[in-house]
Amino acid sequence: MPQTIEIKDLIKIYSGGFEALKGINLTIREGEFFGLLGPNGAGKSTTIGIMCSLVKKTSGSVSIFGKDIDTEPDLAKQFLGIVPQEFNFNIFEPVHQIILNQAGYYGVTRKAAMDRAEYLLNRLEIWDRRNTPGGRLSGGLKRRLMIARALVHSPKVLILDEPTAGVDISLRRSMWIFLQELNDQGLTIILTTHYLEEAESLCKNLAIIDKGVIIENAPTVRLLEKLSSEVFILYCHDMTDVSDLAYLRVVEEGVVEAELNKGETITRLIETLTARGIIVDRIKNKANRLEELFVKLVAA
Ligand code: ADP
């Protein structure tokens, strides 16, 4: 039986009386790549904060591989590597030192810490910046430093809160590859995001949280099946009459909405319009897919 992280009936009421978590339940298995997905303000950071003992829960329980965060907090914490949303290292300290200090905090021996720091900084491609004060790194490199720091004590679980906030596309891709590699090696990874696209690329299982309530918890492929159609907006010129095409709706002169069901392609759509002499200048998704999924889930 793989070990699990168990979150039971978790409630968080902030001091002003706001109920950020309304009794959530989650089970995350060892080795999973798990996504906690939801819009801003849904309660993702609060959940993560409680798991890491950075936020005090109001009631409920959390156990990390059998260690309860109330009764065995040090053992529970030892299992976790945390990459918070905000950069929280000493900006004047060199990168290498930041990693070594964290290792010391977790009781890693000096020799093991040196080896591990070298491996991680190389793997994350910031070894050549090891003597640079953390504060002088770019946003993307700061995020990598935070990941290296979180991994220095070889945790069993890596928790990332919005890991790609402020990270450019090429860095984001290489970060995804690295995270996938870590997961393939057996590391359990939990990430929060408000991008369905990011969760879709990385996570095998997803929980969707909205206003402090888990509204879905299922394998990613099952959730995506609920998105059976997508709406695109097309900006066109040389418009002709399209009123006979039921899947099109003319919004205004030159702007058309097209609803494509699963299996229908953009190529076919463009070919149909081109055959009528219409030129499609640009095309974009009407809503982000997380929003579409929410609309479907809430309506279901
Ligand atoms: P998410 O990470 O999904 O964006 P959060 O967990 O940060 O959401 O926040 C959930 C809700 O709790 C939000 O409405 C937020 O405004 C509120 N909240 C977060 N932290 C505090 C706090 N320290 N005091 C009062 N309300 C808070």
Side-chain angles (χ1 to χ4, degrees), residues 129-159:
R129 308 295 297 276
R130 64 190 174 282
N131 297 318
T132 306
R136 281 217 231 123
L137 298 176
S138 67
L141 293 185
K142 282 183 183 138
R143 188 72 56 190
R144 286 167 178 230
L145 164 59
M146 302 261 287
I147 294 178
R149 187 185 62 171
L151 290 170
V152 75
H153 65 291
S154 306
K156 284 165 87 77
V157 184
L158 180 65
I159 300 183

Side-chain angles (χ1 to χ4, degrees), residues 12-21 36-49 55 85 161-162 192-194 209-212:
K12 173 64 187 178
I13 303 171
Y14 280 106
S15 50
F18 181 76
E19 195 174 13
L21 297 179
L36 186 58
L37 190 66
N40 281 327
K44 303 182 296 296
S45 296
T46 302
T47 307
I48 296 293
V55 174
Q85 221 175 99
D161 197 0
E162 302 273 351
T192 75
T193 181
H194 59 272
I209 183 168
D210 189 28
K211 300 188 184 80

Side-chain angles (χ1 to χ4, degrees), residues 252-273:
E252 58 183 86
E253 178 62 31
V255 183
V256 180
E257 273 184 21
E259 181 165 1
L260 291 196
N261 291 318
K262 236 189 214 149
E264 291 173 349
T265 65
I266 291 179
T267 306
R268 266 269 317 274
L269 171 65
I270 306 257
E271 277 170 1
T272 306
L273 296 177

